[in-house]
Amino acid sequence: NAGVMQNPRHLVRRRGQEARLRCSPMKGHSHVYWYRQLPEEGLKFMVYLQKENIIDESGMPKERFSAEFPKEGPSILRIQQVVRGDSAAYFCASSPEVSADGGYTFGSGTRLTVV
Amino acid sequence: EDQVTQSPEALRLQEGESSSLNCSYTVSGLRGLFWYRQDPGKGPEFLFTLYSAGEEKEKERLKATLTKKESFLHITAPKPEDSATYLCAVHDGGNQFYFGTGTSLTVIP
């Protein structure tokens, strides 16, 4: 039973390019969360999605960032016109329902480096 | 906003030397406090959930406890394989968890 799958593991982009990060939740999980981890900082919430719905994007920067979780396929976190400050580890987590029980299951993350 | 503070930032222990990690929190209505372990280059791995003051949970050499203001992760007779960053997070029933910055634990053989 595969866990949360994220790809790519590492992504290098030049300033101004687009970055697309993918996340396939655990089988049976319908809730997806994206978190960002900057060096020396804790994990920060970005967005919470269910299939075809953005439930809460309060942690997402207003510009250049978008997320989706289509009916078929993985969840995508898209960053347009990347800047150096976007360099971070981006983690996806999934849960079977919105519940504090058991916490999330995290993927291994995508390390984005903007050069 | 909910806040989580972890201390110390880093901890070096000799193998077998027991110690505790602290997680202080401020939350408007605690629904759960979580401990995760994170190895370099990996995602956080779930360890424990605690729901109410006085609750304790154990797993191998780890024991987590909870009061109304803080949680402790006690590590008894640690081994080098326990070296990792330990993260604490709180949930207030909303859509997100609030994470601390972690304690980096190194256990020296």
Side-chain angles (χ1 to χ4, degrees):
Chain A
N1 182 19
V4 178
M5 304 301 292
Q6 289 189 250
N7 66 82
R9 291 293 305 277
H10 300 275
L11 183 61
V12 179
R13 283 287 178 267
R14 296 187 182 280
R15 282 179 295 171
Q17 290 185 320
E18 179 180 288
R20 282 186 178 236
L21 288 61
R22 297 175 188 77
C23 168
S24 296
M26 279 189 71
K27 188 175 181 180
H29 286 194
S30 58
H31 299 251
V32 167
Y33 311 82
W34 285 92
Y35 281 75
R36 178 165 64 176
Q37 189 173 42
L38 293 164
E40 309 304 322
E41 293 188 22
L43 286 155
K44 300 292 185 188
F45 170 79
M46 299 182 74
V47 62
Y48 159 46
L49 310 105
Q50 295 178 25
K51 284 285 187 182
E52 300 185 280
N53 281 303
I54 298 174
I55 307 302
D56 182 350
E57 56 183 350
S58 59
M60 199 107 91
K62 294 287 186 280
E63 297 178 353
R64 302 186 297 107
F65 285 73
S66 62
E68 63 176 4
F69 188 14
K71 186 176 180 180
E72 301 291 338
S75 175
I76 305 287
L77 179 67
R78 181 184 179 203
I79 311 172
Q80 296 178 289
Q81 299 176 316
V82 296
V83 300
R84 290 231 169 98
D86 296 332
S87 295
Y90 291 82
F91 291 96
C92 170
S94 70
S95 70
E97 59 184 36
V98 178
S99 169
D101 294 344
Y104 302 143
T105 301
F106 280 90
S108 293
T110 293
R111 273 97 187 141
L112 172 66
T113 302
V114 179
V115 297
Chain B
E1 183 177 289
D2 299 348
Q3 289 191 327
V4 177
T5 303
Q6 291 188 247
S7 62
E9 288 186 12
L11 182 62
R12 287 172 66 88
L13 299 173
Q14 290 291 136
E15 185 172 1
E17 179 187 1
S18 301
S19 188
S20 297
L21 283 55
N22 177 263
C23 171
S24 298
Y25 63 90
T26 304
V27 63
S28 54
L30 182 71
R31 290 285 297 273
L33 184 140
F34 300 84
W35 283 98
Y36 285 86
R37 169 190 171 129
Q38 187 174 22
D39 292 294
K42 301 281 184 66
E45 175 188 346
F46 171 76
L47 292 173
F48 302 110
T49 310
L50 300 166
Y51 295 106
S52 57
E55 189 175 0
E56 298 183 353
K57 293 216 174 144
E58 287 188 66
K59 180 180 178 180
E60 296 181 357
R61 294 177 293 282
L62 300 176
K63 180 169 124 177
T65 62
L66 181 65
T67 72
K68 288 186 177 180
K69 293 183 179 181
E70 57 191 352
S71 176
F72 291 94
L73 185 65
H74 307 277
I75 303 176
T76 302
K79 298 182 177 182
E81 53 262 41
D82 295 323
S83 297
T85 296
Y86 290 85
L87 302 173
C88 172
V90 296
H91 183 223
D92 61 6
N95 293 322
Q96 63 176 289
F97 286 10
Y98 296 89
F99 282 85
T101 53
T103 293
S104 175
L105 174 66
T106 303
V107 182
I108 304 161

PDB file of all heavy atoms in Angstrom, chain A residues 25-52:
ATOM      1  N   PRO A  25      -2.358  11.206  -3.171  1.00  0.00           N
ATOM      2  CA  PRO A  25      -2.622  10.830  -1.779  1.00  0.00           C
ATOM      3  C   PRO A  25      -2.630   9.320  -1.605  1.00  0.00           C
ATOM      4  O   PRO A  25      -2.629   8.560  -2.568  1.00  0.00           O
ATOM      5  CB  PRO A  25      -4.010  11.422  -1.513  1.00  0.00           C
ATOM      6  CG  PRO A  25      -4.650  11.492  -2.850  1.00  0.00           C
ATOM      7  CD  PRO A  25      -3.545  11.761  -3.831  1.00  0.00           C
ATOM      8  N   MET A  26      -2.628   8.917  -0.350  1.00  0.00           N
ATOM      9  CA  MET A  26      -2.751   7.493  -0.036  1.00  0.00           C
ATOM     10  C   MET A  26      -4.071   6.958  -0.576  1.00  0.00           C
ATOM     11  O   MET A  26      -5.068   7.692  -0.639  1.00  0.00           O
ATOM     12  CB  MET A  26      -2.707   7.282   1.475  1.00  0.00           C
ATOM     13  CG  MET A  26      -1.323   7.273   2.060  1.00  0.00           C
ATOM     14  SD  MET A  26      -1.331   6.763   3.788  1.00  0.00           S
ATOM     15  CE  MET A  26      -1.721   5.025   3.616  1.00  0.00           C
ATOM     16  N   LYS A  27      -4.085   5.705  -0.914  1.00  0.00           N
ATOM     17  CA  LYS A  27      -5.308   5.076  -1.401  1.00  0.00           C
ATOM     18  C   LYS A  27      -6.386   5.195  -0.331  1.00  0.00           C
ATOM     19  O   LYS A  27      -6.153   4.902   0.851  1.00  0.00           O
ATOM     20  CB  LYS A  27      -5.042   3.608  -1.717  1.00  0.00           C
ATOM     21  CG  LYS A  27      -6.198   2.907  -2.404  1.00  0.00           C
ATOM     22  CD  LYS A  27      -5.814   1.495  -2.794  1.00  0.00           C
ATOM     23  CE  LYS A  27      -6.971   0.791  -3.499  1.00  0.00           C
ATOM     24  NZ  LYS A  27      -6.625  -0.594  -3.885  1.00  0.00           N
ATOM     25  N   GLY A  28      -7.548   5.655  -0.752  1.00  0.00           N
ATOM     26  CA  GLY A  28      -8.644   5.803   0.196  1.00  0.00           C
ATOM     27  C   GLY A  28      -8.713   7.157   0.870  1.00  0.00           C
ATOM     28  O   GLY A  28      -9.669   7.454   1.580  1.00  0.00           O
ATOM     29  N   HIS A  29      -7.675   7.998   0.675  1.00  0.00           N
ATOM     30  CA  HIS A  29      -7.670   9.339   1.257  1.00  0.00           C
ATOM     31  C   HIS A  29      -8.208  10.335   0.232  1.00  0.00           C
ATOM     32  O   HIS A  29      -7.767  10.354  -0.908  1.00  0.00           O
ATOM     33  CB  HIS A  29      -6.252   9.747   1.654  1.00  0.00           C
ATOM     34  CG  HIS A  29      -5.753   9.059   2.878  1.00  0.00           C
ATOM     35  ND1 HIS A  29      -4.629   9.483   3.553  1.00  0.00           N
ATOM     36  CD2 HIS A  29      -6.223   7.999   3.572  1.00  0.00           C
ATOM     37  CE1 HIS A  29      -4.431   8.697   4.598  1.00  0.00           C
ATOM     38  NE2 HIS A  29      -5.381   7.791   4.619  1.00  0.00           N
ATOM     39  N   SER A  30      -9.122  11.174   0.679  1.00  0.00           N
ATOM     40  CA  SER A  30      -9.732  12.132  -0.228  1.00  0.00           C
ATOM     41  C   SER A  30      -9.412  13.571   0.119  1.00  0.00           C
ATOM     42  O   SER A  30      -9.908  14.489  -0.513  1.00  0.00           O
ATOM     43  CB  SER A  30     -11.252  11.933  -0.244  1.00  0.00           C
ATOM     44  OG  SER A  30     -11.764  12.092   1.063  1.00  0.00           O
ATOM     45  N   HIS A  31      -8.601  13.762   1.165  1.00  0.00           N
ATOM     46  CA  HIS A  31      -8.254  15.110   1.613  1.00  0.00           C
ATOM     47  C   HIS A  31      -6.751  15.314   1.445  1.00  0.00           C
ATOM     48  O   HIS A  31      -5.957  14.476   1.870  1.00  0.00           O
ATOM     49  CB  HIS A  31      -8.633  15.305   3.083  1.00  0.00           C
ATOM     50  CG  HIS A  31     -10.103  15.149   3.344  1.00  0.00           C
ATOM     51  ND1 HIS A  31     -10.910  16.222   3.662  1.00  0.00           N
ATOM     52  CD2 HIS A  31     -10.912  14.070   3.313  1.00  0.00           C
ATOM     53  CE1 HIS A  31     -12.158  15.788   3.825  1.00  0.00           C
ATOM     54  NE2 HIS A  31     -12.171  14.500   3.616  1.00  0.00           N
ATOM     55  N   VAL A  32      -6.389  16.409   0.814  1.00  0.00           N
ATOM     56  CA  VAL A  32      -4.985  16.711   0.535  1.00  0.00           C
ATOM     57  C   VAL A  32      -4.634  18.077   1.109  1.00  0.00           C
ATOM     58  O   VAL A  32      -5.421  19.023   0.997  1.00  0.00           O
ATOM     59  CB  VAL A  32      -4.720  16.682  -0.988  1.00  0.00           C
ATOM     60  CG1 VAL A  32      -3.368  17.304  -1.309  1.00  0.00           C
ATOM     61  CG2 VAL A  32      -4.762  15.253  -1.510  1.00  0.00           C
ATOM     62  N   TYR A  33      -3.463  18.140   1.706  1.00  0.00           N
ATOM     63  CA  TYR A  33      -2.956  19.377   2.308  1.00  0.00           C
ATOM     64  C   TYR A  33      -1.547  19.633   1.763  1.00  0.00           C
ATOM     65  O   TYR A  33      -0.767  18.706   1.641  1.00  0.00           O
ATOM     66  CB  TYR A  33      -2.873  19.250   3.835  1.00  0.00           C
ATOM     67  CG  TYR A  33      -4.122  18.709   4.486  1.00  0.00           C
ATOM     68  CD1 TYR A  33      -4.373  17.346   4.527  1.00  0.00           C
ATOM     69  CD2 TYR A  33      -5.042  19.569   5.092  1.00  0.00           C
ATOM     70  CE1 TYR A  33      -5.521  16.842   5.122  1.00  0.00           C
ATOM     71  CE2 TYR A  33      -6.183  19.065   5.699  1.00  0.00           C
ATOM     72  CZ  TYR A  33      -6.416  17.706   5.708  1.00  0.00           C
ATOM     73  OH  TYR A  33      -7.552  17.212   6.305  1.00  0.00           O
ATOM     74  N   TRP A  34      -1.257  20.881   1.492  1.00  0.00           N
ATOM     75  CA  TRP A  34       0.099  21.258   1.097  1.00  0.00           C
ATOM     76  C   TRP A  34       0.694  22.149   2.189  1.00  0.00           C
ATOM     77  O   TRP A  34       0.042  23.086   2.669  1.00  0.00           O
ATOM     78  CB  TRP A  34       0.087  22.023  -0.222  1.00  0.00           C
ATOM     79  CG  TRP A  34      -0.149  21.175  -1.429  1.00  0.00           C
ATOM     80  CD1 TRP A  34      -1.354  20.897  -2.023  1.00  0.00           C
ATOM     81  CD2 TRP A  34       0.834  20.497  -2.219  1.00  0.00           C
ATOM     82  NE1 TRP A  34      -1.168  20.092  -3.122  1.00  0.00           N
ATOM     83  CE2 TRP A  34       0.169  19.831  -3.262  1.00  0.00           C
ATOM     84  CE3 TRP A  34       2.235  20.389  -2.148  1.00  0.00           C
ATOM     85  CZ2 TRP A  34       0.828  19.068  -4.230  1.00  0.00           C
ATOM     86  CZ3 TRP A  34       2.892  19.635  -3.096  1.00  0.00           C
ATOM     87  CH2 TRP A  34       2.198  18.985  -4.115  1.00  0.00           C
ATOM     88  N   TYR A  35       1.938  21.833   2.547  1.00  0.00           N
ATOM     89  CA  TYR A  35       2.696  22.614   3.514  1.00  0.00           C
ATOM     90  C   TYR A  35       4.045  22.981   2.906  1.00  0.00           C
ATOM     91  O   TYR A  35       4.586  22.252   2.070  1.00  0.00           O
ATOM     92  CB  TYR A  35       2.940  21.807   4.799  1.00  0.00           C
ATOM     93  CG  TYR A  35       1.769  21.747   5.743  1.00  0.00           C
ATOM     94  CD1 TYR A  35       0.675  20.939   5.469  1.00  0.00           C
ATOM     95  CD2 TYR A  35       1.747  22.511   6.909  1.00  0.00           C
ATOM     96  CE1 TYR A  35      -0.413  20.895   6.333  1.00  0.00           C
ATOM     97  CE2 TYR A  35       0.672  22.467   7.788  1.00  0.00           C
ATOM     98  CZ  TYR A  35      -0.404  21.654   7.489  1.00  0.00           C
ATOM     99  OH  TYR A  35      -1.477  21.612   8.350  1.00  0.00           O
ATOM    100  N   ARG A  36       4.581  24.115   3.356  1.00  0.00           N
ATOM    101  CA  ARG A  36       5.900  24.553   2.899  1.00  0.00           C
ATOM    102  C   ARG A  36       6.832  24.618   4.104  1.00  0.00           C
ATOM    103  O   ARG A  36       6.428  25.088   5.182  1.00  0.00           O
ATOM    104  CB  ARG A  36       5.789  25.921   2.226  1.00  0.00           C
ATOM    105  CG  ARG A  36       7.129  26.480   1.771  1.00  0.00           C
ATOM    106  CD  ARG A  36       6.977  27.627   0.801  1.00  0.00           C
ATOM    107  NE  ARG A  36       6.323  28.799   1.338  1.00  0.00           N
ATOM    108  CZ  ARG A  36       6.176  29.931   0.672  1.00  0.00           C
ATOM    109  NH1 ARG A  36       6.645  30.033  -0.565  1.00  0.00           N
ATOM    110  NH2 ARG A  36       5.552  30.957   1.217  1.00  0.00           N
ATOM    111  N   GLN A  37       8.059  24.173   3.909  1.00  0.00           N
ATOM    112  CA  GLN A  37       9.048  24.201   4.981  1.00  0.00           C
ATOM    113  C   GLN A  37      10.251  24.981   4.495  1.00  0.00           C
ATOM    114  O   GLN A  37      11.000  24.530   3.633  1.00  0.00           O
ATOM    115  CB  GLN A  37       9.453  22.777   5.388  1.00  0.00           C
ATOM    116  CG  GLN A  37      10.312  22.707   6.641  1.00  0.00           C
ATOM    117  CD  GLN A  37      10.529  21.264   7.091  1.00  0.00           C
ATOM    118  OE1 GLN A  37      10.764  20.373   6.288  1.00  0.00           O
ATOM    119  NE2 GLN A  37      10.447  21.019   8.405  1.00  0.00           N
ATOM    120  N   LEU A  38      10.420  26.167   5.053  1.00  0.00           N
ATOM    121  CA  LEU A  38      11.584  26.986   4.748  1.00  0.00           C
ATOM    122  C   LEU A  38      12.705  26.641   5.720  1.00  0.00           C
ATOM    123  O   LEU A  38      12.431  26.187   6.836  1.00  0.00           O
ATOM    124  CB  LEU A  38      11.233  28.471   4.848  1.00  0.00           C
ATOM    125  CG  LEU A  38      10.251  28.979   3.790  1.00  0.00           C
ATOM    126  CD1 LEU A  38       9.664  30.314   4.195  1.00  0.00           C
ATOM    127  CD2 LEU A  38      10.965  29.099   2.455  1.00  0.00           C
ATOM    128  N   PRO A  39      13.962  26.847   5.305  1.00  0.00           N
ATOM    129  CA  PRO A  39      15.085  26.569   6.207  1.00  0.00           C
ATOM    130  C   PRO A  39      14.906  27.286   7.543  1.00  0.00           C
ATOM    131  O   PRO A  39      14.544  28.460   7.568  1.00  0.00           O
ATOM    132  CB  PRO A  39      16.289  27.114   5.432  1.00  0.00           C
ATOM    133  CG  PRO A  39      15.874  27.051   4.008  1.00  0.00           C
ATOM    134  CD  PRO A  39      14.402  27.331   4.001  1.00  0.00           C
ATOM    135  N   GLU A  40      15.126  26.570   8.621  1.00  0.00           N
ATOM    136  CA  GLU A  40      15.060  27.112   9.983  1.00  0.00           C
ATOM    137  C   GLU A  40      13.641  27.527  10.397  1.00  0.00           C
ATOM    138  O   GLU A  40      13.463  28.175  11.415  1.00  0.00           O
ATOM    139  CB  GLU A  40      15.988  28.327  10.153  1.00  0.00           C
ATOM    140  CG  GLU A  40      17.409  28.096   9.683  1.00  0.00           C
ATOM    141  CD  GLU A  40      18.063  26.904  10.342  1.00  0.00           C
ATOM    142  OE1 GLU A  40      17.829  26.694  11.540  1.00  0.00           O
ATOM    143  OE2 GLU A  40      18.807  26.171   9.656  1.00  0.00           O
ATOM    144  N   GLU A  41      12.643  27.140   9.611  1.00  0.00           N
ATOM    145  CA  GLU A  41      11.267  27.459   9.978  1.00  0.00           C
ATOM    146  C   GLU A  41      10.443  26.183  10.057  1.00  0.00           C
ATOM    147  O   GLU A  41      10.799  25.151   9.509  1.00  0.00           O
ATOM    148  CB  GLU A  41      10.633  28.411   8.957  1.00  0.00           C
ATOM    149  CG  GLU A  41      11.253  29.789   8.943  1.00  0.00           C
ATOM    150  CD  GLU A  41      10.467  30.741   8.071  1.00  0.00           C
ATOM    151  OE1 GLU A  41       9.276  30.494   7.815  1.00  0.00           O
ATOM    152  OE2 GLU A  41      11.061  31.756   7.644  1.00  0.00           O
ATOM    153  N   GLY A  42       9.334  26.265  10.747  1.00  0.00           N
ATOM    154  CA  GLY A  42       8.439  25.124  10.829  1.00  0.00           C
ATOM    155  C   GLY A  42       7.612  24.964   9.575  1.00  0.00           C
ATOM    156  O   GLY A  42       7.587  25.824   8.706  1.00  0.00           O
ATOM    157  N   LEU A  43       6.930  23.850   9.499  1.00  0.00           N
ATOM    158  CA  LEU A  43       6.009  23.617   8.394  1.00  0.00           C
ATOM    159  C   LEU A  43       4.869  24.621   8.458  1.00  0.00           C
ATOM    160  O   LEU A  43       4.244  24.805   9.511  1.00  0.00           O
ATOM    161  CB  LEU A  43       5.436  22.204   8.481  1.00  0.00           C
ATOM    162  CG  LEU A  43       6.402  21.085   8.101  1.00  0.00           C
ATOM    163  CD1 LEU A  43       5.996  19.792   8.772  1.00  0.00           C
ATOM    164  CD2 LEU A  43       6.407  20.918   6.589  1.00  0.00           C
ATOM    165  N   LYS A  44       4.584  25.254   7.323  1.00  0.00           N
ATOM    166  CA  LYS A  44       3.511  26.251   7.257  1.00  0.00           C
ATOM    167  C   LYS A  44       2.437  25.778   6.291  1.00  0.00           C
ATOM    168  O   LYS A  44       2.740  25.403   5.147  1.00  0.00           O
ATOM    169  CB  LYS A  44       4.051  27.602   6.768  1.00  0.00           C
ATOM    170  CG  LYS A  44       5.131  28.191   7.654  1.00  0.00           C
ATOM    171  CD  LYS A  44       4.604  28.614   8.998  1.00  0.00           C
ATOM    172  CE  LYS A  44       5.699  29.318   9.793  1.00  0.00           C
ATOM    173  NZ  LYS A  44       5.305  29.586  11.177  1.00  0.00           N
ATOM    174  N   PHE A  45       1.211  25.830   6.737  1.00  0.00           N
ATOM    175  CA  PHE A  45       0.061  25.424   5.932  1.00  0.00           C
ATOM    176  C   PHE A  45      -0.085  26.335   4.721  1.00  0.00           C
ATOM    177  O   PHE A  45       0.075  27.557   4.812  1.00  0.00           O
ATOM    178  CB  PHE A  45      -1.193  25.502   6.791  1.00  0.00           C
ATOM    179  CG  PHE A  45      -2.488  25.353   6.044  1.00  0.00           C
ATOM    180  CD1 PHE A  45      -2.944  24.107   5.652  1.00  0.00           C
ATOM    181  CD2 PHE A  45      -3.250  26.467   5.736  1.00  0.00           C
ATOM    182  CE1 PHE A  45      -4.140  23.975   4.979  1.00  0.00           C
ATOM    183  CE2 PHE A  45      -4.448  26.348   5.060  1.00  0.00           C
ATOM    184  CZ  PHE A  45      -4.902  25.098   4.682  1.00  0.00           C
ATOM    185  N   MET A  46      -0.404  25.713   3.581  1.00  0.00           N
ATOM    186  CA  MET A  46      -0.673  26.500   2.386  1.00  0.00           C
ATOM    187  C   MET A  46      -2.130  26.350   1.946  1.00  0.00           C
ATOM    188  O   MET A  46      -2.867  27.333   1.853  1.00  0.00           O
ATOM    189  CB  MET A  46       0.249  26.080   1.242  1.00  0.00           C
ATOM    190  CG  MET A  46       1.719  26.270   1.536  1.00  0.00           C
ATOM    191  SD  MET A  46       2.748  25.828   0.138  1.00  0.00           S
ATOM    192  CE  MET A  46       2.455  27.223  -0.937  1.00  0.00           C
ATOM    193  N   VAL A  47      -2.548  25.109   1.703  1.00  0.00           N
ATOM    194  CA  VAL A  47      -3.869  24.904   1.127  1.00  0.00           C
ATOM    195  C   VAL A  47      -4.385  23.519   1.470  1.00  0.00           C
ATOM    196  O   VAL A  47      -3.620  22.580   1.662  1.00  0.00           O
ATOM    197  CB  VAL A  47      -3.803  25.109  -0.413  1.00  0.00           C
ATOM    198  CG1 VAL A  47      -2.871  24.088  -1.054  1.00  0.00           C
ATOM    199  CG2 VAL A  47      -5.169  25.073  -1.055  1.00  0.00           C
ATOM    200  N   TYR A  48      -5.733  23.437   1.549  1.00  0.00           N
ATOM    201  CA  TYR A  48      -6.419  22.177   1.821  1.00  0.00           C
ATOM    202  C   TYR A  48      -7.430  21.954   0.703  1.00  0.00           C
ATOM    203  O   TYR A  48      -8.235  22.830   0.389  1.00  0.00           O
ATOM    204  CB  TYR A  48      -7.086  22.252   3.192  1.00  0.00           C
ATOM    205  CG  TYR A  48      -8.212  21.285   3.453  1.00  0.00           C
ATOM    206  CD1 TYR A  48      -8.111  19.938   3.124  1.00  0.00           C
ATOM    207  CD2 TYR A  48      -9.369  21.726   4.089  1.00  0.00           C
ATOM    208  CE1 TYR A  48      -9.149  19.064   3.378  1.00  0.00           C
ATOM    209  CE2 TYR A  48     -10.407  20.868   4.358  1.00  0.00           C
ATOM    210  CZ  TYR A  48     -10.308  19.535   3.999  1.00  0.00           C
ATOM    211  OH  TYR A  48     -11.336  18.676   4.268  1.00  0.00           O
ATOM    212  N   LEU A  49      -7.373  20.760   0.102  1.00  0.00           N
ATOM    213  CA  LEU A  49      -8.240  20.459  -1.028  1.00  0.00           C
ATOM    214  C   LEU A  49      -8.927  19.110  -0.854  1.00  0.00           C
ATOM    215  O   LEU A  49      -8.385  18.203  -0.224  1.00  0.00           O
ATOM    216  CB  LEU A  49      -7.432  20.392  -2.337  1.00  0.00           C
ATOM    217  CG  LEU A  49      -6.479  21.520  -2.674  1.00  0.00           C
ATOM    218  CD1 LEU A  49      -5.036  21.101  -2.441  1.00  0.00           C
ATOM    219  CD2 LEU A  49      -6.648  21.946  -4.123  1.00  0.00           C
ATOM    220  N   GLN A  50     -10.097  19.038  -1.417  1.00  0.00           N
ATOM    221  CA  GLN A  50     -10.745  17.758  -1.668  1.00  0.00           C
ATOM    222  C   GLN A  50     -10.907  17.647  -3.181  1.00  0.00           C
ATOM    223  O   GLN A  50     -10.646  18.601  -3.910  1.00  0.00           O
ATOM    224  CB  GLN A  50     -12.100  17.690  -0.970  1.00  0.00           C
ATOM    225  CG  GLN A  50     -12.004  17.723   0.542  1.00  0.00           C
ATOM    226  CD  GLN A  50     -13.364  17.702   1.217  1.00  0.00           C
ATOM    227  OE1 GLN A  50     -14.346  17.210   0.648  1.00  0.00           O
ATOM    228  NE2 GLN A  50     -13.445  18.243   2.418  1.00  0.00           N
ATOM    229  N   LYS A  51     -11.356  16.503  -3.636  1.00  0.00           N
ATOM    230  CA  LYS A  51     -11.502  16.300  -5.084  1.00  0.00           C
ATOM    231  C   LYS A  51     -12.330  17.440  -5.691  1.00  0.00           C
ATOM    232  O   LYS A  51     -13.462  17.694  -5.270  1.00  0.00           O
ATOM    233  CB  LYS A  51     -12.198  14.975  -5.364  1.00  0.00           C
ATOM    234  CG  LYS A  51     -11.303  13.754  -5.186  1.00  0.00           C
ATOM    235  CD  LYS A  51     -10.335  13.582  -6.323  1.00  0.00           C
ATOM    236  CE  LYS A  51      -9.571  12.259  -6.193  1.00  0.00           C
ATOM    237  NZ  LYS A  51      -8.585  12.097  -7.279  1.00  0.00           N
ATOM    238  N   GLU A  52     -11.726  18.130  -6.644  1.00  0.00           N
ATOM    239  CA  GLU A  52     -12.373  19.202  -7.418  1.00  0.00           C
ATOM    240  C   GLU A  52     -12.769  20.412  -6.579  1.00  0.00           C
ATOM    241  O   GLU A  52     -13.509  21.272  -7.070  1.00  0.00           O
ATOM    242  CB  GLU A  52     -13.607  18.661  -8.155  1.00  0.00           C
ATOM    243  CG  GLU A  52     -13.278  17.536  -9.131  1.00  0.00           C
ATOM    244  CD  GLU A  52     -14.493  17.099  -9.934  1.00  0.00           C
ATOM    245  OE1 GLU A  52     -15.312  16.328  -9.394  1.00  0.00           O
ATOM    246  OE2 GLU A  52     -14.610  17.546 -11.098  1.00  0.00           O
TER     247      GLU A  52
END
